[in-house]
Amino acid sequence: MSLTATLPAANAAAQTNGEPLNYLNNGHGIRSWLLTKDHKRIAILYLISVSIFFVIGGIFALLVRINLLSPNGLFEPDTYNRIFTAHGIVMVFFFLVPAVPAILGNFLLPIMIGAKDMAFPKINLLSWYCYIIGAAFALTALVAGGVDTGWTFYTPYSTTYSNSNVLLTGIGIFIVGFSSILTGINFIVTVHTMRAPGMTWFRLPLFVWAHYATALVIMLGTPVLAITVALMALERIAHVGIFDPALGGDPVLFQHMFWFYSHPAVYIMVLPAMGVVSELIANMSRKRIFGYKIVAMSSLAIAVFGFLVWGHHLFVATQSVYLGIIFSFLSYVVAIPSAIKVFNWTATLFKGSISFDTPMLYGLGFIGLFLIGGMTGLFTAALGLDVHITDTYFVVAHFHYVMVGGSLMGFLGGMHLWWGKITGRMYPESWARAAMVIQFIGFNLTFFPQFLLGYLGMPRRYASYPPEFQVLHVLSTAGATILGIGLLITIIYFIWSLKKGQRAPANPWGAAGLEWHTSSPPPTENFLVAPVVTWEAYDFTQTEPKAQ
Amino acid sequence: MSEHIVPKKTYYIIFFALMAGTALTVAAAFVNLHNFNIVVALLIAGAKAFLVVMFFMHVKYSTKLTKLWVAVGFIWLFILLAVTMTDYLTRAWLTYKP
């Protein structure tokens, strides 16, 4: 009998001896969690902390929408500035960037390649502590009155004029950046050095390819954010003239440096979610992803080209028009690998054995919403049209379609697909489907009116607006409420399922991939018998279809 | 590899090369080369950084993959600096005044 055939049986055998030993019950007490070097437990630590920030960021989002119910606003303009800044900073740096890689990536990447753990388990834990320390700074700043610069910290306002907690927040972001870098190092080294025998590069699940590409972006981009924040602090504290024209600096230089990180950061947020969607689509249609290699390579192409488009944020910032033309062209180019993914996912569905379980609903939701987010990105990449829509709600709607419609859908889809694997319990399917549909409706109702608002001229970050925009703003707030309710339902049934959910079998979906060859939840060492891979990625002949 | 033992002599040579580079930088600052003063200073600094990375940071004795990563890091830094400077260089090239 081959090793591959004995693997599932041997890994399942541990469950027959009473209480199955797994990573969750292998060690008790707070110390066993806070000093853990197990990538799965670190993923759980991230899940809890990132979820808390998601709720905080969500509350600020609702405050923004409540303010915009009436043309004159509910809050003072200065308070409103702090609210939308808090929403942006919390969601970008403390939720979207770490969500998929630090939770699902941490948990799944070693298992998917047949490894026992990450290459550097202690560095992995250090990354979580960096996150917590950075978060502590940001939360302190928030409690102390917040920041009013917007999440983009544009100079010279942030360095010279703002009276809010810019430094404290900047330090938090600086530190949390190292959390990303440490995770990125681990992903790259783990994929290079820890793959199981037979797990060649082109047998890697696309989830792993996407995370590898993301790690490249993290490693090459995040240090620039750290430098930019440090220079901003230097100018604010010591009045060294770098960005402020009054001191001999140039504010556009800040924008160049900020967006050199922050545009690729969009890919840090969405690439891992694309990896999740590849798994969702393949497993829920029981088909190998159409054009596997080109989808894998498109992740790398996004990682590389994503670094060459930052200037499209500066079209109206006195940037050279010649450079603008090049950035505009390159911004169109970066849409190609994203489009390749969308076409290939759609082609995968063709003649697939499709099931419409919740993970698939999120996968399809991602494709539809990311399509709108991506296509409206072409509007903003157009040098002429962008002049009209820069800093309007059109841009707000565009990036929420990418961030929420893309990253959040991918994250939630992944959480549903692997919830049984992570917790050992299944979520209630009918509630989950209903919540997904509610979120989908709520999301579109929130952000589609914002495209119209933006095109009509509603600027972003304004606390008040002319009365003729009120109908669309009220629709948007109603949508946000529905979206909030949908998300709340998901949080509630996930927590409920921890105690009451059905026990998850090793492979509840009939899915392909090494993570389904070990028990749910997996043992601390991931596999009781070291796997030897003799099959290609997404080989569904290795698995039985999902039991009906 | 990290196990590679570098003879002390190599370290001394690199150290003195770095000191010589520093002296050269100071000396070049006293020569009026107009716009090229900064170019010369940066070239010397770049050469010194190269020595530090190759010998003190052991990249010379590392795997090809490590060398590739180091190269990619510097290429990315170059992209950031070069493209940003292209903005400053070409801003004034407009043939009309907006």
mmCIF file with all atom_site columns, all heavy atoms in Angstrom, chain A residues 188 216 250 253 256 307 310 320 322-323, chain B residues 65 69 76 80 83 87-88 90-91 93-94:
data_model
loop_
_atom_site.group_PDB
_atom_site.id
_atom_site.type_symbol
_atom_site.label_atom_id
_atom_site.label_alt_id
_atom_site.label_comp_id
_atom_site.label_asym_id
_atom_site.label_entity_id
_atom_site.label_seq_id
_atom_site.pdbx_PDB_ins_code
_atom_site.Cartn_x
_atom_site.Cartn_y
_atom_site.Cartn_z
_atom_site.occupancy
_atom_site.B_iso_or_equiv
_atom_site.pdbx_formal_charge
_atom_site.auth_seq_id
_atom_site.auth_comp_id
_atom_site.auth_asym_id
_atom_site.auth_atom_id
_atom_site.pdbx_PDB_model_num
ATOM 1   N N   . ILE A 1 188 ? 7.700  32.908 2.962   1.00 0.00 ? 188 ILE A N   1
ATOM 2   C CA  . ILE A 1 188 ? 8.661  32.673 1.871   1.00 0.00 ? 188 ILE A CA  1
ATOM 3   C C   . ILE A 1 188 ? 9.587  31.504 2.225   1.00 0.00 ? 188 ILE A C   1
ATOM 4   O O   . ILE A 1 188 ? 9.750  30.563 1.441   1.00 0.00 ? 188 ILE A O   1
ATOM 5   C CB  . ILE A 1 188 ? 9.477  33.960 1.600   1.00 0.00 ? 188 ILE A CB  1
ATOM 6   C CG1 . ILE A 1 188 ? 8.576  35.014 0.959   1.00 0.00 ? 188 ILE A CG1 1
ATOM 7   C CG2 . ILE A 1 188 ? 10.662 33.662 0.676   1.00 0.00 ? 188 ILE A CG2 1
ATOM 8   C CD1 . ILE A 1 188 ? 9.198  36.381 0.836   1.00 0.00 ? 188 ILE A CD1 1
ATOM 9   N N   . LEU A 1 216 ? 5.944  38.339 -0.962  1.00 0.00 ? 216 LEU A N   1
ATOM 10  C CA  . LEU A 1 216 ? 6.902  39.157 -1.722  1.00 0.00 ? 216 LEU A CA  1
ATOM 11  C C   . LEU A 1 216 ? 6.537  40.628 -1.610  1.00 0.00 ? 216 LEU A C   1
ATOM 12  O O   . LEU A 1 216 ? 7.393  41.494 -1.382  1.00 0.00 ? 216 LEU A O   1
ATOM 13  C CB  . LEU A 1 216 ? 6.907  38.755 -3.206  1.00 0.00 ? 216 LEU A CB  1
ATOM 14  C CG  . LEU A 1 216 ? 7.345  37.344 -3.580  1.00 0.00 ? 216 LEU A CG  1
ATOM 15  C CD1 . LEU A 1 216 ? 7.279  37.156 -5.081  1.00 0.00 ? 216 LEU A CD1 1
ATOM 16  C CD2 . LEU A 1 216 ? 8.765  37.084 -3.092  1.00 0.00 ? 216 LEU A CD2 1
ATOM 17  N N   . ASP A 1 250 ? 8.794  68.669 0.167   1.00 0.00 ? 250 ASP A N   1
ATOM 18  C CA  . ASP A 1 250 ? 7.821  68.552 -0.921  1.00 0.00 ? 250 ASP A CA  1
ATOM 19  C C   . ASP A 1 250 ? 6.731  67.566 -0.516  1.00 0.00 ? 250 ASP A C   1
ATOM 20  O O   . ASP A 1 250 ? 7.010  66.377 -0.292  1.00 0.00 ? 250 ASP A O   1
ATOM 21  C CB  . ASP A 1 250 ? 8.524  68.057 -2.189  1.00 0.00 ? 250 ASP A CB  1
ATOM 22  C CG  . ASP A 1 250 ? 7.531  67.861 -3.325  1.00 0.00 ? 250 ASP A CG  1
ATOM 23  O OD1 . ASP A 1 250 ? 6.416  68.404 -3.224  1.00 0.00 ? 250 ASP A OD1 1
ATOM 24  O OD2 . ASP A 1 250 ? 7.865  67.159 -4.288  1.00 0.00 ? 250 ASP A OD2 1
ATOM 25  N N   . LEU A 1 253 ? 6.338  64.285 -2.428  1.00 0.00 ? 253 LEU A N   1
ATOM 26  C CA  . LEU A 1 253 ? 7.286  63.220 -2.106  1.00 0.00 ? 253 LEU A CA  1
ATOM 27  C C   . LEU A 1 253 ? 6.652  62.245 -1.111  1.00 0.00 ? 253 LEU A C   1
ATOM 28  O O   . LEU A 1 253 ? 6.803  61.026 -1.232  1.00 0.00 ? 253 LEU A O   1
ATOM 29  C CB  . LEU A 1 253 ? 8.576  63.812 -1.512  1.00 0.00 ? 253 LEU A CB  1
ATOM 30  C CG  . LEU A 1 253 ? 9.637  62.799 -1.092  1.00 0.00 ? 253 LEU A CG  1
ATOM 31  C CD1 . LEU A 1 253 ? 10.136 62.000 -2.296  1.00 0.00 ? 253 LEU A CD1 1
ATOM 32  C CD2 . LEU A 1 253 ? 10.805 63.481 -0.398  1.00 0.00 ? 253 LEU A CD2 1
ATOM 33  N N   . HIS A 1 256 ? 4.329  60.026 -3.022  1.00 0.00 ? 256 HIS A N   1
ATOM 34  C CA  . HIS A 1 256 ? 5.069  58.982 -3.745  1.00 0.00 ? 256 HIS A CA  1
ATOM 35  C C   . HIS A 1 256 ? 5.426  57.845 -2.792  1.00 0.00 ? 256 HIS A C   1
ATOM 36  O O   . HIS A 1 256 ? 5.185  56.674 -3.079  1.00 0.00 ? 256 HIS A O   1
ATOM 37  C CB  . HIS A 1 256 ? 6.368  59.550 -4.329  1.00 0.00 ? 256 HIS A CB  1
ATOM 38  C CG  . HIS A 1 256 ? 6.200  60.195 -5.666  1.00 0.00 ? 256 HIS A CG  1
ATOM 39  N ND1 . HIS A 1 256 ? 5.816  59.496 -6.782  1.00 0.00 ? 256 HIS A ND1 1
ATOM 40  C CD2 . HIS A 1 256 ? 6.373  61.480 -6.067  1.00 0.00 ? 256 HIS A CD2 1
ATOM 41  C CE1 . HIS A 1 256 ? 5.758  60.315 -7.820  1.00 0.00 ? 256 HIS A CE1 1
ATOM 42  N NE2 . HIS A 1 256 ? 6.077  61.537 -7.412  1.00 0.00 ? 256 HIS A NE2 1
ATOM 43  N N   . PHE A 1 307 ? 3.562  47.059 -8.011  1.00 0.00 ? 307 PHE A N   1
ATOM 44  C CA  . PHE A 1 307 ? 4.526  48.047 -7.511  1.00 0.00 ? 307 PHE A CA  1
ATOM 45  C C   . PHE A 1 307 ? 4.759  49.187 -8.495  1.00 0.00 ? 307 PHE A C   1
ATOM 46  O O   . PHE A 1 307 ? 5.478  50.130 -8.179  1.00 0.00 ? 307 PHE A O   1
ATOM 47  C CB  . PHE A 1 307 ? 5.862  47.365 -7.216  1.00 0.00 ? 307 PHE A CB  1
ATOM 48  C CG  . PHE A 1 307 ? 5.950  46.827 -5.815  1.00 0.00 ? 307 PHE A CG  1
ATOM 49  C CD1 . PHE A 1 307 ? 5.809  45.485 -5.558  1.00 0.00 ? 307 PHE A CD1 1
ATOM 50  C CD2 . PHE A 1 307 ? 6.173  47.681 -4.749  1.00 0.00 ? 307 PHE A CD2 1
ATOM 51  C CE1 . PHE A 1 307 ? 5.883  44.990 -4.270  1.00 0.00 ? 307 PHE A CE1 1
ATOM 52  C CE2 . PHE A 1 307 ? 6.247  47.210 -3.458  1.00 0.00 ? 307 PHE A CE2 1
ATOM 53  C CZ  . PHE A 1 307 ? 6.100  45.855 -3.207  1.00 0.00 ? 307 PHE A CZ  1
ATOM 54  N N   . TRP A 1 310 ? 1.744  53.093 -8.511  1.00 0.00 ? 310 TRP A N   1
ATOM 55  C CA  . TRP A 1 310 ? 1.346  53.935 -7.380  1.00 0.00 ? 310 TRP A CA  1
ATOM 56  C C   . TRP A 1 310 ? 1.009  55.365 -7.791  1.00 0.00 ? 310 TRP A C   1
ATOM 57  O O   . TRP A 1 310 ? 0.208  56.014 -7.140  1.00 0.00 ? 310 TRP A O   1
ATOM 58  C CB  . TRP A 1 310 ? 2.430  53.906 -6.301  1.00 0.00 ? 310 TRP A CB  1
ATOM 59  C CG  . TRP A 1 310 ? 3.626  54.785 -6.539  1.00 0.00 ? 310 TRP A CG  1
ATOM 60  C CD1 . TRP A 1 310 ? 3.713  56.105 -6.245  1.00 0.00 ? 310 TRP A CD1 1
ATOM 61  C CD2 . TRP A 1 310 ? 4.899  54.426 -7.101  1.00 0.00 ? 310 TRP A CD2 1
ATOM 62  N NE1 . TRP A 1 310 ? 4.965  56.597 -6.579  1.00 0.00 ? 310 TRP A NE1 1
ATOM 63  C CE2 . TRP A 1 310 ? 5.711  55.585 -7.107  1.00 0.00 ? 310 TRP A CE2 1
ATOM 64  C CE3 . TRP A 1 310 ? 5.438  53.239 -7.594  1.00 0.00 ? 310 TRP A CE3 1
ATOM 65  C CZ2 . TRP A 1 310 ? 7.019  55.591 -7.583  1.00 0.00 ? 310 TRP A CZ2 1
ATOM 66  C CZ3 . TRP A 1 310 ? 6.738  53.248 -8.067  1.00 0.00 ? 310 TRP A CZ3 1
ATOM 67  C CH2 . TRP A 1 310 ? 7.509  54.408 -8.064  1.00 0.00 ? 310 TRP A CH2 1
ATOM 68  N N   . SER A 1 320 ? 4.212  64.986 -12.573 1.00 0.00 ? 320 SER A N   1
ATOM 69  C CA  . SER A 1 320 ? 4.510  65.197 -13.988 1.00 0.00 ? 320 SER A CA  1
ATOM 70  C C   . SER A 1 320 ? 3.473  64.484 -14.856 1.00 0.00 ? 320 SER A C   1
ATOM 71  O O   . SER A 1 320 ? 3.161  63.308 -14.623 1.00 0.00 ? 320 SER A O   1
ATOM 72  C CB  . SER A 1 320 ? 5.899  64.642 -14.298 1.00 0.00 ? 320 SER A CB  1
ATOM 73  O OG  . SER A 1 320 ? 5.993  64.299 -15.661 1.00 0.00 ? 320 SER A OG  1
ATOM 74  N N   . TYR A 1 322 ? 3.802  63.480 -17.813 1.00 0.00 ? 322 TYR A N   1
ATOM 75  C CA  . TYR A 1 322 ? 4.428  62.376 -18.569 1.00 0.00 ? 322 TYR A CA  1
ATOM 76  C C   . TYR A 1 322 ? 4.459  61.105 -17.725 1.00 0.00 ? 322 TYR A C   1
ATOM 77  O O   . TYR A 1 322 ? 4.179  60.012 -18.191 1.00 0.00 ? 322 TYR A O   1
ATOM 78  C CB  . TYR A 1 322 ? 5.847  62.770 -18.994 1.00 0.00 ? 322 TYR A CB  1
ATOM 79  C CG  . TYR A 1 322 ? 5.844  63.994 -19.863 1.00 0.00 ? 322 TYR A CG  1
ATOM 80  C CD1 . TYR A 1 322 ? 6.182  65.244 -19.348 1.00 0.00 ? 322 TYR A CD1 1
ATOM 81  C CD2 . TYR A 1 322 ? 5.465  63.909 -21.207 1.00 0.00 ? 322 TYR A CD2 1
ATOM 82  C CE1 . TYR A 1 322 ? 6.152  66.369 -20.139 1.00 0.00 ? 322 TYR A CE1 1
ATOM 83  C CE2 . TYR A 1 322 ? 5.434  65.038 -22.008 1.00 0.00 ? 322 TYR A CE2 1
ATOM 84  C CZ  . TYR A 1 322 ? 5.779  66.272 -21.470 1.00 0.00 ? 322 TYR A CZ  1
ATOM 85  O OH  . TYR A 1 322 ? 5.735  67.382 -22.254 1.00 0.00 ? 322 TYR A OH  1
ATOM 86  N N   . LEU A 1 323 ? 4.831  61.285 -16.448 1.00 0.00 ? 323 LEU A N   1
ATOM 87  C CA  . LEU A 1 323 ? 4.828  60.137 -15.543 1.00 0.00 ? 323 LEU A CA  1
ATOM 88  C C   . LEU A 1 323 ? 3.399  59.630 -15.356 1.00 0.00 ? 323 LEU A C   1
ATOM 89  O O   . LEU A 1 323 ? 3.160  58.423 -15.271 1.00 0.00 ? 323 LEU A O   1
ATOM 90  C CB  . LEU A 1 323 ? 5.436  60.546 -14.195 1.00 0.00 ? 323 LEU A CB  1
ATOM 91  C CG  . LEU A 1 323 ? 5.849  59.410 -13.270 1.00 0.00 ? 323 LEU A CG  1
ATOM 92  C CD1 . LEU A 1 323 ? 6.829  58.471 -13.949 1.00 0.00 ? 323 LEU A CD1 1
ATOM 93  C CD2 . LEU A 1 323 ? 6.458  59.963 -11.993 1.00 0.00 ? 323 LEU A CD2 1
ATOM 94  N N   . LEU B 2 65  ? 19.770 31.940 -4.017  1.00 0.00 ? 65  LEU B N   1
ATOM 95  C CA  . LEU B 2 65  ? 18.446 32.469 -3.669  1.00 0.00 ? 65  LEU B CA  1
ATOM 96  C C   . LEU B 2 65  ? 18.584 33.720 -2.790  1.00 0.00 ? 65  LEU B C   1
ATOM 97  O O   . LEU B 2 65  ? 17.894 34.724 -2.996  1.00 0.00 ? 65  LEU B O   1
ATOM 98  C CB  . LEU B 2 65  ? 17.631 31.394 -2.939  1.00 0.00 ? 65  LEU B CB  1
ATOM 99  C CG  . LEU B 2 65  ? 16.166 31.729 -2.693  1.00 0.00 ? 65  LEU B CG  1
ATOM 100 C CD1 . LEU B 2 65  ? 15.413 31.862 -4.006  1.00 0.00 ? 65  LEU B CD1 1
ATOM 101 C CD2 . LEU B 2 65  ? 15.508 30.662 -1.827  1.00 0.00 ? 65  LEU B CD2 1
ATOM 102 N N   . TRP B 2 69  ? 17.471 37.566 -3.619  1.00 0.00 ? 69  TRP B N   1
ATOM 103 C CA  . TRP B 2 69  ? 16.630 38.395 -2.752  1.00 0.00 ? 69  TRP B CA  1
ATOM 104 C C   . TRP B 2 69  ? 17.273 39.742 -2.463  1.00 0.00 ? 69  TRP B C   1
ATOM 105 O O   . TRP B 2 69  ? 16.600 40.774 -2.479  1.00 0.00 ? 69  TRP B O   1
ATOM 106 C CB  . TRP B 2 69  ? 16.337 37.658 -1.436  1.00 0.00 ? 69  TRP B CB  1
ATOM 107 C CG  . TRP B 2 69  ? 14.969 37.109 -1.469  1.00 0.00 ? 69  TRP B CG  1
ATOM 108 C CD1 . TRP B 2 69  ? 14.611 35.823 -1.667  1.00 0.00 ? 69  TRP B CD1 1
ATOM 109 C CD2 . TRP B 2 69  ? 13.762 37.862 -1.369  1.00 0.00 ? 69  TRP B CD2 1
ATOM 110 N NE1 . TRP B 2 69  ? 13.251 35.724 -1.696  1.00 0.00 ? 69  TRP B NE1 1
ATOM 111 C CE2 . TRP B 2 69  ? 12.702 36.949 -1.512  1.00 0.00 ? 69  TRP B CE2 1
ATOM 112 C CE3 . TRP B 2 69  ? 13.468 39.219 -1.183  1.00 0.00 ? 69  TRP B CE3 1
ATOM 113 C CZ2 . TRP B 2 69  ? 11.374 37.343 -1.465  1.00 0.00 ? 69  TRP B CZ2 1
ATOM 114 C CZ3 . TRP B 2 69  ? 12.138 39.611 -1.142  1.00 0.00 ? 69  TRP B CZ3 1
ATOM 115 C CH2 . TRP B 2 69  ? 11.117 38.686 -1.284  1.00 0.00 ? 69  TRP B CH2 1
ATOM 116 N N   . TRP B 2 76  ? 14.175 47.091 -6.141  1.00 0.00 ? 76  TRP B N   1
ATOM 117 C CA  . TRP B 2 76  ? 12.918 47.745 -5.737  1.00 0.00 ? 76  TRP B CA  1
ATOM 118 C C   . TRP B 2 76  ? 13.173 49.148 -5.189  1.00 0.00 ? 76  TRP B C   1
ATOM 119 O O   . TRP B 2 76  ? 12.433 50.067 -5.457  1.00 0.00 ? 76  TRP B O   1
ATOM 120 C CB  . TRP B 2 76  ? 12.173 46.867 -4.719  1.00 0.00 ? 76  TRP B CB  1
ATOM 121 C CG  . TRP B 2 76  ? 10.924 46.290 -5.300  1.00 0.00 ? 76  TRP B CG  1
ATOM 122 C CD1 . TRP B 2 76  ? 9.653  46.588 -4.939  1.00 0.00 ? 76  TRP B CD1 1
ATOM 123 C CD2 . TRP B 2 76  ? 10.810 45.337 -6.366  1.00 0.00 ? 76  TRP B CD2 1
ATOM 124 N NE1 . TRP B 2 76  ? 8.756  45.883 -5.711  1.00 0.00 ? 76  TRP B NE1 1
ATOM 125 C CE2 . TRP B 2 76  ? 9.437  45.120 -6.588  1.00 0.00 ? 76  TRP B CE2 1
ATOM 126 C CE3 . TRP B 2 76  ? 11.735 44.663 -7.161  1.00 0.00 ? 76  TRP B CE3 1
ATOM 127 C CZ2 . TRP B 2 76  ? 8.975  44.234 -7.576  1.00 0.00 ? 76  TRP B CZ2 1
ATOM 128 C CZ3 . TRP B 2 76  ? 11.276 43.788 -8.133  1.00 0.00 ? 76  TRP B CZ3 1
ATOM 129 C CH2 . TRP B 2 76  ? 9.921  43.590 -8.331  1.00 0.00 ? 76  TRP B CH2 1
ATOM 130 N N   . LEU B 2 80  ? 11.743 52.738 -6.658  1.00 0.00 ? 80  LEU B N   1
ATOM 131 C CA  . LEU B 2 80  ? 11.149 53.814 -5.856  1.00 0.00 ? 80  LEU B CA  1
ATOM 132 C C   . LEU B 2 80  ? 11.859 55.147 -6.128  1.00 0.00 ? 80  LEU B C   1
ATOM 133 O O   . LEU B 2 80  ? 11.213 56.161 -6.418  1.00 0.00 ? 80  LEU B O   1
ATOM 134 C CB  . LEU B 2 80  ? 11.235 53.457 -4.363  1.00 0.00 ? 80  LEU B CB  1
ATOM 135 C CG  . LEU B 2 80  ? 10.915 54.580 -3.374  1.00 0.00 ? 80  LEU B CG  1
ATOM 136 C CD1 . LEU B 2 80  ? 9.463  55.004 -3.478  1.00 0.00 ? 80  LEU B CD1 1
ATOM 137 C CD2 . LEU B 2 80  ? 11.220 54.151 -1.946  1.00 0.00 ? 80  LEU B CD2 1
ATOM 138 N N   . VAL B 2 83  ? 11.827 56.264 -10.239 1.00 0.00 ? 83  VAL B N   1
ATOM 139 C CA  . VAL B 2 83  ? 10.534 56.715 -10.776 1.00 0.00 ? 83  VAL B CA  1
ATOM 140 C C   . VAL B 2 83  ? 10.105 58.015 -10.094 1.00 0.00 ? 83  VAL B C   1
ATOM 141 O O   . VAL B 2 83  ? 9.587  58.927 -10.744 1.00 0.00 ? 83  VAL B O   1
ATOM 142 C CB  . VAL B 2 83  ? 9.463  55.604 -10.624 1.00 0.00 ? 83  VAL B CB  1
ATOM 143 C CG1 . VAL B 2 83  ? 8.113  56.101 -11.106 1.00 0.00 ? 83  VAL B CG1 1
ATOM 144 C CG2 . VAL B 2 83  ? 9.884  54.370 -11.400 1.00 0.00 ? 83  VAL B CG2 1
ATOM 145 N N   . ASP B 2 87  ? 9.571  62.000 -11.812 1.00 0.00 ? 87  ASP B N   1
ATOM 146 C CA  . ASP B 2 87  ? 8.511  62.992 -11.631 1.00 0.00 ? 87  ASP B CA  1
ATOM 147 C C   . ASP B 2 87  ? 9.117  64.395 -11.553 1.00 0.00 ? 87  ASP B C   1
ATOM 148 O O   . ASP B 2 87  ? 8.716  65.301 -12.298 1.00 0.00 ? 87  ASP B O   1
ATOM 149 C CB  . ASP B 2 87  ? 7.726  62.640 -10.355 1.00 0.00 ? 87  ASP B CB  1
ATOM 150 C CG  . ASP B 2 87  ? 6.687  63.683 -10.001 1.00 0.00 ? 87  ASP B CG  1
ATOM 151 O OD1 . ASP B 2 87  ? 6.287  64.445 -10.906 1.00 0.00 ? 87  ASP B OD1 1
ATOM 152 O OD2 . ASP B 2 87  ? 6.272  63.726 -8.827  1.00 0.00 ? 87  ASP B OD2 1
ATOM 153 N N   . TYR B 2 88  ? 10.117 64.549 -10.681 1.00 0.00 ? 88  TYR B N   1
ATOM 154 C CA  . TYR B 2 88  ? 10.712 65.882 -10.491 1.00 0.00 ? 88  TYR B CA  1
ATOM 155 C C   . TYR B 2 88  ? 11.397 66.363 -11.770 1.00 0.00 ? 88  TYR B C   1
ATOM 156 O O   . TYR B 2 88  ? 11.385 67.542 -12.095 1.00 0.00 ? 88  TYR B O   1
ATOM 157 C CB  . TYR B 2 88  ? 11.697 65.852 -9.318  1.00 0.00 ? 88  TYR B CB  1
ATOM 158 C CG  . TYR B 2 88  ? 10.981 65.639 -8.017  1.00 0.00 ? 88  TYR B CG  1
ATOM 159 C CD1 . TYR B 2 88  ? 10.830 64.371 -7.482  1.00 0.00 ? 88  TYR B CD1 1
ATOM 160 C CD2 . TYR B 2 88  ? 10.398 66.715 -7.345  1.00 0.00 ? 88  TYR B CD2 1
ATOM 161 C CE1 . TYR B 2 88  ? 10.130 64.165 -6.317  1.00 0.00 ? 88  TYR B CE1 1
ATOM 162 C CE2 . TYR B 2 88  ? 9.694  66.519 -6.172  1.00 0.00 ? 88  TYR B CE2 1
ATOM 163 C CZ  . TYR B 2 88  ? 9.560  65.239 -5.658  1.00 0.00 ? 88  TYR B CZ  1
ATOM 164 O OH  . TYR B 2 88  ? 8.860  65.049 -4.506  1.00 0.00 ? 88  TYR B OH  1
ATOM 165 N N   . THR B 2 90  ? 10.617 65.660 -14.913 1.00 0.00 ? 90  THR B N   1
ATOM 166 C CA  . THR B 2 90  ? 9.785  65.935 -16.086 1.00 0.00 ? 90  THR B CA  1
ATOM 167 C C   . THR B 2 90  ? 8.596  66.856 -15.797 1.00 0.00 ? 90  THR B C   1
ATOM 168 O O   . THR B 2 90  ? 7.821  67.148 -16.698 1.00 0.00 ? 90  THR B O   1
ATOM 169 C CB  . THR B 2 90  ? 9.235  64.614 -16.677 1.00 0.00 ? 90  THR B CB  1
ATOM 170 O OG1 . THR B 2 90  ? 8.448  63.955 -15.664 1.00 0.00 ? 90  THR B OG1 1
ATOM 171 C CG2 . THR B 2 90  ? 10.350 63.695 -17.101 1.00 0.00 ? 90  THR B CG2 1
ATOM 172 N N   . ARG B 2 91  ? 8.481  67.314 -14.556 1.00 0.00 ? 91  ARG B N   1
ATOM 173 C CA  . ARG B 2 91  ? 7.344  68.187 -14.234 1.00 0.00 ? 91  ARG B CA  1
ATOM 174 C C   . ARG B 2 91  ? 7.324  69.459 -15.084 1.00 0.00 ? 91  ARG B C   1
ATOM 175 O O   . ARG B 2 91  ? 6.283  69.938 -15.487 1.00 0.00 ? 91  ARG B O   1
ATOM 176 C CB  . ARG B 2 91  ? 7.405  68.603 -12.765 1.00 0.00 ? 91  ARG B CB  1
ATOM 177 C CG  . ARG B 2 91  ? 6.598  67.713 -11.864 1.00 0.00 ? 91  ARG B CG  1
ATOM 178 C CD  . ARG B 2 91  ? 6.600  68.261 -10.470 1.00 0.00 ? 91  ARG B CD  1
ATOM 179 N NE  . ARG B 2 91  ? 6.506  67.179 -9.513  1.00 0.00 ? 91  ARG B NE  1
ATOM 180 C CZ  . ARG B 2 91  ? 6.527  67.353 -8.206  1.00 0.00 ? 91  ARG B CZ  1
ATOM 181 N NH1 . ARG B 2 91  ? 6.675  68.564 -7.700  1.00 0.00 ? 91  ARG B NH1 1
ATOM 182 N NH2 . ARG B 2 91  ? 6.432  66.325 -7.399  1.00 0.00 ? 91  ARG B NH2 1
ATOM 183 N N   . TRP B 2 93  ? 8.398  69.954 -18.049 1.00 0.00 ? 93  TRP B N   1
ATOM 184 C CA  . TRP B 2 93  ? 8.511  69.759 -19.494 1.00 0.00 ? 93  TRP B CA  1
ATOM 185 C C   . TRP B 2 93  ? 7.257  70.167 -20.269 1.00 0.00 ? 93  TRP B C   1
ATOM 186 O O   . TRP B 2 93  ? 7.219  70.063 -21.482 1.00 0.00 ? 93  TRP B O   1
ATOM 187 C CB  . TRP B 2 93  ? 8.796  68.290 -19.812 1.00 0.00 ? 93  TRP B CB  1
ATOM 188 C CG  . TRP B 2 93  ? 10.204 67.877 -19.535 1.00 0.00 ? 93  TRP B CG  1
ATOM 189 C CD1 . TRP B 2 93  ? 11.180 68.625 -18.934 1.00 0.00 ? 93  TRP B CD1 1
ATOM 190 C CD2 . TRP B 2 93  ? 10.805 66.619 -19.837 1.00 0.00 ? 93  TRP B CD2 1
ATOM 191 N NE1 . TRP B 2 93  ? 12.329 67.910 -18.829 1.00 0.00 ? 93  TRP B NE1 1
ATOM 192 C CE2 . TRP B 2 93  ? 12.140 66.659 -19.375 1.00 0.00 ? 93  TRP B CE2 1
ATOM 193 C CE3 . TRP B 2 93  ? 10.352 65.451 -20.448 1.00 0.00 ? 93  TRP B CE3 1
ATOM 194 C CZ2 . TRP B 2 93  ? 13.013 65.596 -19.509 1.00 0.00 ? 93  TRP B CZ2 1
ATOM 195 C CZ3 . TRP B 2 93  ? 11.226 64.388 -20.578 1.00 0.00 ? 93  TRP B CZ3 1
ATOM 196 C CH2 . TRP B 2 93  ? 12.545 64.462 -20.112 1.00 0.00 ? 93  TRP B CH2 1
ATOM 197 N N   . LEU B 2 94  ? 6.237  70.589 -19.563 1.00 0.00 ? 94  LEU B N   1
ATOM 198 C CA  . LEU B 2 94  ? 4.998  70.957 -20.253 1.00 0.00 ? 94  LEU B CA  1
ATOM 199 C C   . LEU B 2 94  ? 5.270  72.066 -21.263 1.00 0.00 ? 94  LEU B C   1
ATOM 200 O O   . LEU B 2 94  ? 5.973  73.032 -20.968 1.00 0.00 ? 94  LEU B O   1
ATOM 201 C CB  . LEU B 2 94  ? 3.957  71.448 -19.246 1.00 0.00 ? 94  LEU B CB  1
ATOM 202 C CG  . LEU B 2 94  ? 3.157  70.387 -18.500 1.00 0.00 ? 94  LEU B CG  1
ATOM 203 C CD1 . LEU B 2 94  ? 2.218  71.060 -17.520 1.00 0.00 ? 94  LEU B CD1 1
ATOM 204 C CD2 . LEU B 2 94  ? 2.374  69.526 -19.477 1.00 0.00 ? 94  LEU B CD2 1
#
